[in-house]
Amino acid sequence: MKRSAETSSEHLASRFNLNLNLSGNPPAIGIGQAGQPTHPTSPQVVSQTRPGTVLSFGPTGSASSAGNGGSPFPPLDTVEWTEPQVRGRQAPLAQAGTGTMDGASSKATHAQASSGAGQFKRADQPGNPEAQYRLARSYALGRRVPMDLALAFEWFSKAAGQGHLRAQTAVGNMLAQGIGVELNEAEAAQWYGKAAAGGDAEGQKCLGILLEHGRGVQKDEAKAAEWYGKAAEQNYPDAQFHMGRMLEDGRGVEKDEAKAAEWFFRAAEQNNPDAQFCLGRMLEDGRGVERNAVLAFEWCRKAAREGGHVSAQNHLGKMLANGTGVQQNDALAVAWFRQAAAQKNPEAQFNLGEMLQTGRGEEKDEAQAAECFRNAAEQGHAQAQVSLGRMLDVGLQGVPQNQVLAAHWYGKAAEQGYVSVQFRLGAMLMVGLPGVPKNEALAAHWYGKAAEKGHPEAQYWLGRMLAHGKGVQQNRVQAVEWFRKAAEQSNASARIELQRLLKYGEGLEHEEAHWYRVSASDSQIQYLLGLMLMEGKAVPVNNRQAYLWFEKAAERHHAPSQCWLGYMFEHGIGVPQDDVKAVKWYRRSAEQGNPLAQSWLGNMQGQGKDQQYNDAQHFQLTLQLAEWGDATAQFQAGFMYERGTGVQQDDAKAIEWYGKAAEQGNASARLNWESMRAQGRDEKHYDAQAFERYLNDAKQGNALAQFHIGFMLENGKGVRQNQAEAAQWYSAAAQQNVANAQVNLGFMFENGRGVPPNPAYALELFRAAAGQGNAEGQYYMGFMYLFGKGVQADRKQAVEWFRKSAAQGFGKAQAKLRALDGDQRQGRAPEITGFGAYL
């Protein structure tokens, strides 16, 4: 739809002669490190409204004047009292002190006010409401008489009773805010109604506010919008802003962002800071007007600098930090964040904390960052609560580790629905930490909250608790359901648990197995059902049905299912014996790295049952299909490059093809891609540009990106080495159950690299990784038990962990078992040493 030229960027720019000062410099206010003014004579931002009841009108960009912390009703010192034509808000007039009068002094000052320079007629003269109104104004402002709000209300009421419109609005204002009289919004609405019916724009706007929010009257957004519209048509800027809000949100009127932008513009021209800010946001987003980031920046700057609009100040900082509509400038961004943070804006406090934590705009200061996060967290800012919790959880320079406080802030954020900390809180309560008692029931509660929102690790751990009856009543059927949900999100641990439950039929009756079969949609589940039917676990043996389930999974490139199809064709189980088909399925599985398929294929080749195969020809065919976009061929090309099958081995090309297949949803390719990168075999992707890409994803909560940022910082790849920051990012990824991050962070805590040494916490991290089947985590668990690091030494436990790791082919664990076996035969105790000797 073609937008009206009346709301185009060019039109807005031409109608208002904007001086595009793109420097974005904030007003000259000195702000100290804690976000407070440092100079005793620094000018303060003057609120345009008297503090009172705050009306919130939704998210940033659609707030009323109360968005700066004031009432939407005009204070007595900002209303134009004398001119019949309403011109909107004027500059605040001087405040006078309050005073009291007896009857005599009242008469004297009344006479003084009435005779001042001949400006007033006698206010008590019958039929002279204008004089009464002016006298009320004198009492309200303390001009030529001591301020007396009660007398002001009395004289405003007399004038209002004679039909004086501005007096009627003034009476409504005083009743609505409880100024000089007891607060009474119902009576205020009546006076606003009288003024509004007479055409007073301020009265119309104020009546709209009461109707919009149901204060003193029944809520009616349609009538509110009607009164806002009447006042807006009289060129009253506050009403124009409110009318813009209603149109932007579609409340009381049909949503129309183009008309909303026009009203915001008309109010912005009259220096309404709320409208200026809202107009800037619409220009930035291209809503109702053509997108124009430069003009958006200028309007936000006007609201922030000239109008003292706190939300605009914070947003201006964001625009400067991101280079939106202006040249990117971290130092100026920090200055604006400080300006808004000093006025207790929680979003600005959080943003300032992030800048200080990462050293953007000024020198890195984690202690000050934590203080900013705390200020925002105490106001209920969920992200700040998370950030503060993570800093306390790990412990950083200037921020001592305090997991009790970390749990406190995690709990605050978890109550607001922050999924990642719901999971972390569950993990802390599951194992118990110093000062955080173990509480399995509460752990299950938080795991459940996160699991319901799709967190795969929480789904897995909730399944485990249900399977074993920890913190909840044992229920294996529900456990299977949660394992299934986690497995569908590629959670390897959940798939292992499913395999155990289904393969051995633990707790599954025949009917339950049937229900599970009906619900199968994931290739891993289809594979497990095939195993159940072939082995007769929880259901009668049915090889034909097993073949059909394996076939479904094999068609989705599931390597174990392809291997078992080959086995069934080789031995004629459930299908006619067919060596050609057996070789075909073994080969497909083997090309995905399945060791069992490689072994069985080798057996068939040894028996002469496989025709001579030219790997180079196969590679060329695979490469051609891969270049045409076939995801399976792309995966196979990556596999052949990685192994050097039919082509010269090339890790970079292997990663490239795995990545292309992964982009098309090939799960095996993604696993291989991630594995190679985690092993540091993707050198070109660990450069400075890669660091920036990972950093953006990491800040959005991407767990793998957080791990890679930690890896690059720890090893100085693409960025200057910084082990303290590496620990922070590993911690963020570890909290999302990334096993490699848990291992690396555990190693850092064991050795005191970038963090204070803490063997007990290192042990918990290794245990978490080992619980996911991570071979390296199991290996380090063995060391902790062998040498009594963070736990009482226990050689038997150590050997058990080494065996688990060695069973997965982890060479270091296998070597350690051989060494321990030799020590035992020769009667030697193991030498106590650090991990470094075994890396």
Side-chain angles (χ1 to χ4, degrees):
M1 180 182 295
K2 184 177 180 181
R3 292 195 178 97
S4 168
E6 290 297 305
T7 55
S8 68
S9 302
E10 293 80 2
H11 173 70
L12 296 178
S14 65
R15 285 187 58 188
F16 191 81
N17 184 21
L18 292 175
N19 175 20
L20 298 183
N21 174 11
L22 301 184
S23 68
N25 291 305
I29 295 182
I31 304 296
Q33 288 296 311
Q36 299 297 328
T38 58
H39 196 284
T41 59
S42 296
Q44 301 297 308
V45 176
V46 180
S47 172
Q48 288 187 305
T49 55
R50 184 184 302 276
T53 304
V54 176
L55 297 183
S56 175
F57 297 116
T60 301
S62 59
S64 75
S65 57
N68 275 336
S71 166
F73 302 105
L76 300 181
D77 61 352
T78 61
V79 176
E80 175 56 52
W81 303 92
T82 58
E83 296 295 330
Q85 175 63 41
V86 176
R87 295 182 181 176
R89 293 180 176 176
Q90 308 298 313
L93 302 176
Q95 297 284 345
T98 58
T100 58
M101 310 181 193
D102 56 21
S105 61
S106 174
K107 290 179 181 178
T109 54
H110 170 85
Q112 180 184 3
S114 299
S115 61
Q119 292 183 25
F120 301 129
K121 298 178 181 178
R122 288 187 56 81
D124 53 359
Q125 181 180 341
N128 195 339
E130 180 65 22
Q132 295 168 339
Y133 171 75
R134 290 172 179 246
L135 180 60
R137 174 176 174 271
S138 293
Y139 283 128
L141 301 180
R143 287 190 169 184
R144 295 183 296 278
V145 293
M147 179 184 288
D148 190 323
L149 296 176
L151 276 174
F153 180 78
E154 179 183 340
W155 286 108
F156 277 138
S157 297
K158 288 181 180 181
Q162 296 188 63
H164 193 286
L165 298 181
R166 282 168 290 144
Q168 291 171 342
T169 297
V171 170
N173 289 338
M174 297 183 79
L175 286 164
Q177 299 175 82
I179 297 174
V181 66
E182 185 177 351
L183 187 144
N184 189 327
E185 290 180 332
E187 190 175 345
Q190 295 178 22
W191 284 109
Y192 285 146
K194 291 178 180 180
D200 183 75
E202 176 67 28
Q204 292 168 340
K205 186 268 293 188
C206 292
L207 180 59
I209 289 173
L210 294 183
L211 286 164
E212 181 183 355
H213 299 281
R215 292 173 51 180
V217 291
Q218 186 174 353
K219 183 175 180 177
D220 190 330
E221 291 182 339
K223 285 185 178 179
E226 181 181 345
W227 284 115
Y228 287 148
K230 289 179 182 292
E233 291 293 348
Q234 295 191 60
N235 205 32
Y236 188 60
D238 276 8
Q240 291 169 337
F241 161 68
H242 287 299
M243 193 67 222
R245 283 192 307 99
M246 304 297 276
L247 287 161
E248 181 185 12
D249 299 335
R251 292 188 298 109
V253 289
E254 185 176 351
K255 183 171 182 174
D256 190 329
E257 292 182 330
K259 288 183 179 178
E262 178 63 20
W263 282 119
F264 286 146
F265 176 69
R266 290 175 66 176
E269 279 188 310
Q270 300 185 69
N271 297 319
N272 182 289
D274 296 304
Q276 290 169 341
F277 177 49
C278 290
L279 179 60
R281 294 299 301 273
M282 296 190 83
L283 284 161
E284 182 181 358
D285 299 337
R287 293 183 295 109
V289 291
E290 294 176 13
R291 187 179 184 279
N292 188 322
V294 174
L295 202 53
F297 177 84
E298 178 61 15
W299 279 116
C300 287
R301 188 194 65 80
K302 287 181 69 66
R305 188 181 180 91
E306 299 171 19
H309 196 286
V310 181
S311 295
Q313 292 169 349
N314 171 63
H315 193 71
L316 201 65
K318 289 182 180 179
M319 297 182 82
L320 285 159
N322 297 323
T324 304
V326 66
Q327 185 175 354
Q328 195 268 347
N329 190 320
D330 284 345
L332 281 178
V334 167
W336 280 111
F337 287 145
R338 283 192 184 281
Q339 180 106 343
Q343 297 175 73
K344 303 187 185 305
N345 181 281
E347 182 70 18
Q349 291 167 338
F350 169 73
N351 290 334
L352 179 59
E354 283 214 314
M355 300 291 278
L356 290 168
Q357 186 179 23
T358 55
R360 289 184 59 187
E362 62 180 59
E363 187 175 353
K364 180 177 178 178
D365 190 332
E366 290 175 335
Q368 282 293 323
E371 181 66 14
C372 290
F373 290 146
R374 184 185 64 80
N375 290 336
E378 288 176 348
Q379 296 188 68
H381 193 284
Q383 284 180 282
Q385 291 166 348
V386 173
S387 295
L388 181 59
R390 285 177 176 164
M391 295 180 84
L392 291 163
D393 197 355
V394 177
L396 301 169
Q397 186 175 1
V399 186
Q401 185 180 36
N402 188 327
Q403 292 183 316
V404 176
L405 276 178
H408 166 77
W409 289 115
Y410 283 152
K412 294 286 188 182
E415 288 169 357
Q416 295 192 61
Y418 217 94
V419 178
S420 64
V421 293
Q422 289 174 339
F423 169 73
R424 173 58 181 157
L425 198 56
M428 295 175 80
L429 292 163
M430 181 69 180
V431 298
L433 297 169
V436 184
K438 182 176 180 178
N439 188 327
E440 291 180 340
L442 200 52
H445 166 78
W446 287 117
Y447 279 147
K449 291 286 188 183
E452 288 169 358
K453 294 178 180 176
H455 193 286
E457 285 76 23
Q459 292 169 339
Y460 162 70
W461 283 102
L462 181 60
R464 284 197 62 173
M465 298 186 82
L466 285 162
H468 299 287
K470 289 192 173 184
V472 291
Q473 186 174 353
Q474 189 177 47
N475 189 324
R476 292 187 182 275
V477 176
Q478 287 186 14
V480 167
E481 173 64 11
W482 284 114
F483 285 143
R484 180 183 67 80
K485 289 182 177 181
E488 287 176 349
Q489 298 192 66
S490 301
N491 184 282
S493 301
R495 289 180 172 178
I496 291 170
E497 289 293 328
L498 274 178
Q499 183 172 3
R500 183 178 64 79
L501 287 171
L502 295 176
K503 186 172 182 179
Y504 299 107
E506 289 190 16
L508 292 177
E509 300 297 334
H510 176 79
E511 292 79 6
E512 294 166 357
H514 171 73
W515 161 81
Y516 198 80
R517 181 165 58 249
V518 170
S519 69
S521 59
D522 179 84
S523 58
Q524 176 73 7
I525 307 304
Q526 293 165 344
Y527 161 68
L528 294 174
L529 286 168
L531 287 180
M532 287 177 64
L533 290 160
M534 191 166 70
E535 298 177 4
K537 300 295 184 181
V539 291
V541 173
N542 188 326
N543 288 324
R544 182 60 186 170
Q545 283 291 318
Y547 165 78
L548 293 175
W549 283 115
F550 285 142
E551 185 179 46
K552 285 179 181 289
E555 289 171 351
R556 300 170 71 174
H557 314 297
H558 189 264
S561 297
Q562 293 170 336
C563 179
W564 281 106
L565 277 183
Y567 181 84
M568 297 182 86
F569 276 114
E570 182 183 3
H571 299 285
I573 300 174
V575 291
Q577 198 279 337
D578 190 325
D579 284 344
V580 174
K581 290 183 178 179
V583 167
K584 179 187 78 170
W585 286 113
Y586 281 149
R587 188 177 300 283
R588 289 187 181 181
S589 181
E591 287 174 349
Q592 295 193 64
N594 186 282
L596 191 59
Q598 292 169 344
S599 175
W600 287 346
L601 179 61
N603 290 338
M604 294 195 74
Q605 290 172 338
Q607 298 169 25
K609 294 181 179 180
D610 187 13
Q611 297 177 357
Q612 186 67 30
Y613 204 79
N614 187 316
D615 286 338
Q617 291 178 355
H618 177 53
F619 172 76
Q620 290 301 325
L621 177 60
T622 300
L623 187 62
Q624 184 178 22
L625 291 171
E627 289 172 346
W628 288 348
D630 183 274
T632 303
Q634 290 171 342
F635 169 79
Q636 290 174 343
F639 178 84
M640 297 179 82
Y641 270 119
E642 183 183 4
R643 298 291 193 275
T645 304
V647 67
Q648 185 175 350
Q649 197 277 341
D650 190 326
D651 279 348
K653 289 190 177 294
I655 288 171
E656 178 185 350
W657 284 112
Y658 282 146
K660 290 181 178 180
E663 288 173 358
Q664 296 195 60
N666 187 297
S668 299
R670 174 162 286 279
L671 288 173
N672 287 11
W673 181 79
E674 290 173 353
S675 175
M676 292 185 73
R677 299 184 77 178
Q679 295 168 30
R681 295 166 65 184
D682 188 13
E683 289 298 329
K684 75 173 185 178
H685 285 282
Y686 281 126
D687 56 17
Q689 290 182 344
F691 183 82
E692 291 301 321
R693 291 195 301 271
Y694 280 135
L695 187 61
N696 288 332
D697 291 342
K699 287 181 177 179
Q700 299 298 318
N702 184 294
L704 288 175
Q706 291 168 345
F707 166 74
H708 287 302
I709 286 290
F711 180 84
M712 295 176 78
L713 285 164
E714 182 188 11
N715 296 283
K717 290 182 176 288
V719 66
R720 178 178 292 182
Q721 187 179 46
N722 188 322
Q723 294 191 336
E725 285 192 27
Q728 294 180 44
W729 286 111
Y730 278 149
S731 177
Q735 288 171 25
Q736 298 194 59
N737 236 30
V738 176
N740 287 337
Q742 291 166 341
V743 170
N744 291 4
L745 185 62
F747 182 83
M748 298 182 81
F749 271 103
E750 165 57 25
N751 291 275
R753 294 186 180 180
V755 291
N758 191 333
Y761 188 48
L763 178 74
E764 294 306 319
L765 289 164
F766 292 143
R767 191 186 304 280
Q772 297 187 67
N774 182 277
E776 193 172 7
Q778 294 166 343
Y779 168 70
Y780 284 135
M781 282 296 293
F783 266 100
M784 300 297 277
Y785 274 106
L786 184 63
F787 299 127
K789 299 288 188 73
V791 67
Q792 187 174 353
D794 187 330
R795 184 186 179 97
K796 183 178 178 180
Q797 282 282 346
V799 170
E800 181 63 26
W801 282 112
F802 285 139
R803 283 176 177 166
K804 288 182 179 180
S805 178
Q808 297 193 62
F810 196 71
K812 295 175 185 176
Q814 294 168 342
K816 191 59 186 171
L817 281 175
R818 289 193 295 270
L820 287 173
D821 186 52
D823 290 342
Q824 188 171 14
R825 285 197 301 271
Q826 298 178 33
R828 295 197 305 263
E831 180 184 355
I832 297 180
T833 185
F835 288 157
Y838 299 94
L839 296 179

